[in-house]
Amino acid sequence: IIEEHAPNPAAGDADRPIGYGRIQRKEDPRFVRGKGNYVDDIVLPGMLHGAILRSPVAHARLVSIDTSAALAHPGVVAVITGQDLLGLKLAWAPTLSADVQAVLVTDKVRFQGQEVAFVIAEDRYAARDALELIEVDYDVLTPVVDVRTALDPGAPVVRDELEGRTDNHIFDWEAGNAAETDAIFASADVVVSQEIVYPRSHPAPMETCGAVADFEPIEGALTLYETSQAPHAHRTLFAIVSGIPEHKIRIVSPDIGGGFGNKVGIYPGYILAVVGSIVTGRPVKWVEDRSENLMSTSFARDYIMQGEIAATKDGKILALRTNVLADHGAFNATAQPTKYPAGFFHIFTGSYDLQAAHCKVTGVYTNKAPGGVAYACSFRVTEAVYLVERLVDMLAQKIEMDSAELRLKNFIKPEQFPYMNKTGWEYDSGNYERAMRLSMEMAGYDDLRREQAEKRARGELMGIGISFFTETVGAGPRKHMDIVGLGMADGAELRIHPTGKAVVRISVQSQGQGHETTFAQIVAEEIGIPPEDIDVVHGDTDQTPFGLGTYGSRSTPVSGAAVALVARKVREKAKFIAAAMLETRPEDLEWEKGRWFVKGDPSVGKTMAEIAMGAHGTVTLPEGIDGNLDAEVTYDPPNLTFPFGAYICVVDVDPGTGHVKVRRFIAVDDCGTRINPMIIEGQVHGGLTDGVGMALMQLIEFDDEGNCLGGSFMDYLIPTAMEVPDWETGFTVTPSPHHPIGAKGIGESATVGSPPAIVNAVVDALRPFGVTHMDMPCTPARVWAAMQGRPTPP
Ligand code: CDP
């Protein structure tokens, strides 16, 4: 299964993929045979099935609920309402952002699709049928739908149950220096201002959310199988909320069919499955359907950004500022490190060397589903990158400069790293010009511009869009970053069995990213045992060390580092054992991949397998070295890692219909040291496809009554192979100086970087019509309207 990897001329010596590089994924044999084990595959003896009754309206007082007919329905075992949960003190649960969220409605419905009652029955059909028999009387209220008017005096108050609450304001948060920034704007030659909307989208993983709860009353122990990107953090929160001691809770996240931020939070359905199991004394499964997932689980984005960029007339960017209105829906359930209510949005200065920057974000309640999660991005980096990359393109258009040239002129230079940006981030490493030039070379940028000019002369609409992004991934460090008080660090444990086979246990949870392969590769690189002899265990709190989980591309930067360090610890221990076995001193030994040997006499040495057997054998070990070849570490990252990329998108717009075709897409990514180039390419392909969805097709919209208009895949469109081109990927390698193997994250780079490239290309194509900006998604109707100079249709 080992393939040679092609060396990359642009990366030079720095590209040295880890642990055999481009090997096939260890997990694929079970996936391609349909033998994956997802939550809905879990079947326990005596298991019951739960279904949730959801509100048809967005804002209403709950007058009464009558569950008697549902309870009488054949097969129904129990019906749980908000009143029942009040008695158990479980009607409200803490969110990940220091707010509370109703598990079941007790007083007032606050969004369409909110959880109202839970039916538990012998099978899924009976549970669903019984939902229709529940009589609910709603007193419908005016909903708060438009975030722009949510703070107006007299607007209905969404969260009137909160003491003293008279408006829909959640928080104001800012970063950077307002006074310095304003002073630069006041004297700048050129200022470009634009309202830029990143519309509400949804992570829409292929597998929806679900749980199987199994409460064992004699021991008072709970086993919970659930779709979770963070099993350990969930266990702690379940212990706090339920009162079940943490050591009596086991959370298992088996195979996960995509997370993308959607499976970070704890949804009412998970809690209801647990309550249902406690109440009935039997295991309870709850698995939502597609509409439930789209309408009630965490959305993403929904930022209205007033953005401004200041520059000299010859194109030196001086400053950036923005005011953001953030729609958080009915409960503040975003998943962000506590200190940063707007996530990492303040990386909005992008890849440019500026003099000043300032951003202010205001969070607001509306009658919409809660969430605001990092959909395949590191805590609002996507919104930040979209803002700056649109503004840079608008500036280029205004000063009539080529947009690649403008970027090249303003990049942070390699010698400026580590670079402290104006909002407090220390970028670890980068060579932006190298990546930009490689993407231009791959694209044949000058030829593309020539082709475009010829086509424009013939009335054809071709657009070339560039985006250059810097991400900030790998949260912690724990002193700055926590989620509900849990510091963002991760653990790893490595055990080498006597026969030299290994098992590494990690605290992050794969949702398809290939951790079972790449984490084995890191160990293989460090101690020389081949990846196929190393099992990676994840997703079970009884089997793995504590850690904060997988989101924000943090697995490789944090857990990947933990795995490298635990392997080094084992390697070091192996030296002492080998010395004892060879009856020599540890300092007389030298390491080569897979074995310690005597300096100057390479024929005398011990392989890792021999050392593992020795550790468990009869040789007398030195004091302080115990009889095994195991180790554990918890890694607290000193900083985040800052991957980056240069993307170029070529589109053709049909002047008759407004339809946008992405003809070419060139993506050059730099994620530092690469472990498995094939997996990296897969991550990039997926993220780019996501980007096409967001830029051209997807929108979770609401009508005036707060009805969700994106509640199925008929309305919320998912890009397929038909809508995307053959991706052209390239890479450069700029290792992270502080990561043990120099790796940065890659999982989300393409989702972050691609939407601005596509929108910039569409706007570029529409230049002959005087278009300078359009909001996503660039649907045919919107593009057509832009060509006619008409307002954007919904
Ligand atoms: O946290 P998440 O797994 O979503 O993101 P990631 O850490 O960026 O990793 C995504 C996948 O790409 C994992 O299998 C990584 O080990 C792999 N990867 C890699 O091979 N080389 C890198 N420099 C970064 C990630």
Side-chain angles (χ1 to χ4, degrees), residues 513 515 518 553-556 671 673 675-676 680 744-747:
Q513 297 93 327
H515 293 175
T518 49
S553 296
R554 64 185 297 283
S555 302
T556 307
C671 59
T673 305
I675 302 160
N676 185 325
I680 291 172
K744 303 180 178 186
I746 187 64

Side-chain angles (χ1 to χ4, degrees), residues 1 11 55 121 129 137 188 191 212 218 277 337 363 421 494 523 607 612 707:
I1 60 167
S55 169
D129 286 348
D137 190 5
V191 171
V212 179
I218 297 167
S277 181
N421 90 334
L494 179 59
V523 176
T607 65
N707 293 308

